[in-house]
Amino acid sequence: MPSHEDWMRLALELAIRAGEAGDVPVGAVIVDERGVCIAQGENLRERTHDPTAHAEIVALRQAGQVLGTWYLTSCTLYVTLEPCPMCAGALVNARIGMLVYGAPDPKAGAIDSVLQIPASRASNHRFPVIGGVLEAECREVLQNWFRQRRGQRPENMP
């Protein structure tokens, strides 16, 4: 049976692919209770012009289609970056069984870092969370991508 690290490596491959295509390099994988990958997602916002096309949302939509239900209580989501508020809310609404993430997000993390949406009184679903799986590798992919982008940005761009 693959380990958390094995699944995170697959999510990292997706993140790298997203970065090479011009999107922020975040990747996500959803695994069912049998240990089978049923969905994959990578950031697609730039390519689809869709502000909701975060890796987690892409993977959640695919998993729902594969399983024929939006109840993902038997699934684990692996994602390279701590989910933002939108994605954390989607995980609650999907009734995800477990979340495993790589790097924390000190600016927009909504699981542990800035907000704790799943643990809040407003949440109607709680799930176990494991953070920091392959954290250094996940952080490095993001930092390298942003470093490269900053070097290519014209002076008058934000």
Side-chain angles (χ1 to χ4, degrees):
M1 186 95 143
S3 67
H4 292 318
E5 290 80 10
D6 294 330
W7 291 120
M8 191 62 72
R9 281 187 191 89
L10 177 56
L12 268 167
E13 288 176 23
L14 295 165
I16 291 166
R17 188 167 74 189
E20 289 170 349
D23 276 287
V24 174
V26 177
V29 174
I30 297 181
V31 176
D32 71 10
E33 74 276 2
R34 301 166 299 155
V36 174
C37 177
I38 61 166
Q40 299 180 10
E42 62 188 68
N43 269 356
L44 296 171
R45 292 186 315 164
E46 295 298 328
R47 290 172 277 173
T48 62
H49 313 290
D50 178 354
T52 69
H54 289 201
E56 301 95 310
I57 302 298
V58 172
L60 288 170
R61 288 176 178 153
Q62 188 179 86
Q65 293 300 307
V66 167
L67 296 176
T69 182
W70 57 270
Y71 286 98
L72 303 181
T73 56
S74 63
C75 298
T76 299
L77 172 74
Y78 293 87
V79 63
T80 57
L81 180 65
E82 178 183 1
C84 71
M86 175 183 70
C87 293
L91 295 175
V92 168
N93 284 319
R95 311 297 196 270
I96 198 73
M98 180 179 213
L99 168 66
V100 179
Y101 70 87
D105 185 346
K107 292 184 179 181
I111 302 296
D112 294 317
S113 297
V114 180
L115 300 171
Q116 296 80 37
I117 288 176
S120 79
R121 289 182 29 213
S123 177
N124 61 351
H125 175 69
R126 292 177 179 48
F127 47 86
V129 174
I130 299 173
V133 174
L134 300 183
E135 178 179 344
E137 293 93 326
C138 293
R139 181 182 300 113
E140 182 180 355
V141 166
L142 283 159
Q143 287 176 339
N144 287 343
W145 187 85
F146 279 108
R147 196 173 298 119
Q148 180 182 22
R149 299 292 282 198
R150 284 186 201 106
Q152 296 174 352
R153 188 169 49 194
E155 295 298 320
N156 59 350
M157 282 184 66

